[in-house]
Amino acid sequence: MKFFSSTKSAVDIVDDALFFPLFEDDSGSKELAIIDKKLNNVLLSILKAKDFKGELGETFLLNTNNLLPAKRLFLLGLGKQKEFSEERFRKAVGSAAKRAKNLSILNFSLCTHHISLEPYVLGKVVAEAVVLSNYTFDTYKTKDKKKSLESITLCHDSDDAKVKQGLHDAEIISSSSNLTRELINTPAADMTPAILAQKAKDACKKSGVKCTIFDEKQIKKLNMNALLAVGSGSANPPRFIVMEHKGKKAKETIVLIGKGVTFDSGGINIKPGSFMKDMKYDMSGSAAVIGTMQAIAQLQLPLHVVGLVATAENMPGNNAYRPGDVIKALNGKTIEVLHTDAEGRVTLTDSLCYAEKFKPSVVIDLATLTGAVTIALGNVCAAVMGNDDALIKKLQVAGDSTFERVWQLPLYEEFAELNKGAVGDVANIGGWDGKAGSIVAGMFLKEFVPSNAKWMHLDIANKAFSDKDTAYLAKGATGFGVRLLVELLQKW
Ligand code: BES
Ligand code: MN
Ligand code: ZN
């Protein structure tokens, strides 16, 4: 896909289609009047008849019959002017791109002369909405595949260099988000730990990130007993992935960690079928870290960022770890396994402990960790927990702007009580019979965070995948975390 920017007027745009956005309560912009004159006032009649109301994401298609150089004109609804926001514009542009793609109109222009957004943000939101909307998971379809959009021209009258920069950055970030979505959507049989590691390596190679893969033998040598335990019931052995982006003039080290359970059957504590059907998505955190590493390298961010993924498949094979087993974690603490389906927090201990090696100032982990996060927050925003409120605030700001939002849950000391083991130092499920499940998981992770590091844990189990299409995303993996983390790191 190619993006262009143009400061031409809508009446001079030559393209397969031209999208012209309108508010519900638009009193008629100058640009609208100029177009309508060429179209013999047909737009005014359409608006008067309320055939097009301007509701958010609404589209109305007209053939321009050679009255305009563009072959087709789409009116595009922006909703109410006073409700206008970056996100609402993202949704409108997403609807436009999906509509065009569905009609196999692969080249279109978007007129934004009357949209008041900062030039960089304008370019960014448009490219983001288009690239994200263009992605559908059709890798396994053998027919009726929709063709990819080819060229999008953004017409505007703001600072062209800044618009172009926004388009450029967002294309990198959203394509990385789409890579993340593809890794997540791929069935678990085709996304084993070894394959995920190879995919990470490929993405790193393409973007100039250093990548080291540790196989099962090397993982044993590293003493990553937690990862080995979780992976031991599967015929597809674990991998440990280390990715490193060394930007110029970087002073501190930021470590990103992702949960990479390629399939979560629950293990010996096997899940009921209805809970198991989505468990190919259980490596969403790791896929988000891989996508983020690619994006920050391509954006050449001046930071030192390390990505860690301890990936395994949680299966009930004859060598599987069992309830009652005790595992010695990398930091020497013993983990009492009370439930083999609380495997995510177990695998994360190895990455958290390994992070110590880099003396990081900040550690951020992303994990589809608990079903309980959906009880707490529905599918609206992810949960964030951590030991530094200022850092959490920063993430919230990044979340509000990307609309990958996060809401803080408390890690009060009283919750630690719940993770006390009877036999080991910590147990992998807490007391209280499932109450505060997401927090209890967060408290467990806290036991393994490198000393002196600021740390945030994102529970993304409620946001990583969706069971329905939305304005600019599709059913399946959402890529949650990539745009959020890159925004945080761009503003670091
Ligand atoms: N992978 C699941 C969490 C999950 C649930 C992710 C739904 C996405 C959608 C995790 O490994 C898990 O099984 N958690 C258990 C923990 C429990 C056994 C303490 C849960 O949430 O039920
Ligand atoms: Mn589980
Ligand atoms: Zn899991």
Side-chain angles (χ1 to χ4, degrees), residues 3-48:
F3 284 96
F4 300 97
S5 83
S6 163
T7 47
K8 277 187 189 166
S9 157
V11 288
D12 297 322
I13 293 289
V14 184
D15 212 336
D16 293 343
L18 172 67
F19 280 91
F20 192 84
L22 280 169
F23 289 103
E24 265 177 46
D25 39 1
D26 224 337
S27 49
S29 62
K30 206 175 78 196
E31 201 71 15
L32 177 72
I34 300 171
I35 297 180
D36 209 17
K37 199 169 162 205
K38 298 258 179 193
L39 293 174
N40 302 324
N41 300 322
V42 68
L43 296 183
L44 214 60
S45 324
I46 291 168
L47 295 177
K48 257 196 184 144

Side-chain angles (χ1 to χ4, degrees), residues 92-271:
V93 177
S95 310
K98 283 192 179 182
R99 183 84 201 278
K101 185 169 168 152
N102 279 334
L103 295 171
S104 300
I105 300 169
L106 307 178
N107 304 280
F108 66 82
S109 298
L110 175 69
C111 179
T112 63
H113 298 90
H114 50 309
I115 305 292
S116 47
L117 285 173
E118 278 178 37
Y120 179 82
V121 174
L122 177 69
K124 183 165 165 163
V125 170
V126 167
E128 213 167 48
V130 172
V131 173
L132 293 172
S133 299
N134 186 49
Y135 176 82
T136 49
F137 181 52
D138 59 6
T139 311
Y140 290 81
K141 294 268 189 224
T142 58
K143 49 180 193 283
D144 303 329
K145 287 202 201 199
K146 290 262 183 268
K147 285 200 182 121
S148 173
L149 295 172
E150 287 168 2
S151 78
I152 287 80
T153 305
L154 174 55
C155 318
H156 66 91
D157 45 24
S158 30
D159 183 333
D160 198 47
K162 286 184 183 155
V163 171
K164 282 205 173 89
Q165 190 66 47
L167 288 169
H168 168 265
D169 290 359
E171 197 185 358
I172 287 176
I173 299 163
S174 304
S175 303
S176 299
S177 182
N178 288 349
L179 163 71
T180 293
R181 293 162 80 189
E182 183 69 17
L183 297 178
I184 300 170
N185 283 330
T186 302
D190 294 338
M191 194 47 67
T192 60
I195 300 173
L196 181 64
Q198 187 56 47
K199 295 285 178 192
K201 201 160 197 175
D202 296 345
C204 286
K205 192 162 182 203
K206 193 176 86 182
S207 53
V209 173
K210 190 180 152 202
C211 179
T212 315
I213 309 290
F214 296 86
D215 66 15
E216 207 186 1
K217 268 195 198 148
Q218 294 162 315
I219 293 170
K220 275 192 186 124
K221 267 210 181 124
L222 289 173
N223 275 322
M224 291 191 165
N225 300 321
L227 176 60
L228 287 170
V230 171
S232 61
S234 169
N236 302 309
R239 291 288 184 274
F240 184 60
I241 309 167
V242 181
M243 297 164 276
E244 190 166 4
H245 163 74
K246 245 194 166 120
K248 281 192 192 116
K249 289 192 221 143
K251 287 188 222 86
E252 53 176 346
T253 302
I254 300 164
V255 174
L256 307 178
I257 294 174
K259 171 175 171 180
V261 174
T262 57
F263 186 74
D264 182 11
S265 71
I268 297 292
N269 292 113
I270 200 155
K271 285 180 186 291

Side-chain angles (χ1 to χ4, degrees), residues 259 261 264-266 269 271 275 278-279 281-282 314 339-345 367-374 428-430 434 437-438 440-441 459-462 464-465:
K259 171 175 171 180
V261 174
D264 182 11
S265 71
N269 292 113
K271 285 180 186 291
F275 286 74
D278 289 329
M279 285 302 125
Y281 296 122
D282 214 18
N314 187 21
H339 203 299
T340 61
D341 198 10
E343 84 299 336
R345 67 197 79 181
T368 48
L369 207 57
T370 65
V373 75
T374 314
N428 78 329
I429 52 167
S438 305
V440 169
D459 193 334
I460 61 169
N462 60 341
F465 55 94

Side-chain angles (χ1 to χ4, degrees), residues 440-457:
V440 169
M443 287 305 280
F444 176 93
L445 297 179
K446 197 173 174 216
E447 300 282 336
F448 301 89
V449 172
S451 48
N452 305 319
K454 293 178 186 171
W455 161 71
M456 290 192 287
H457 156 58

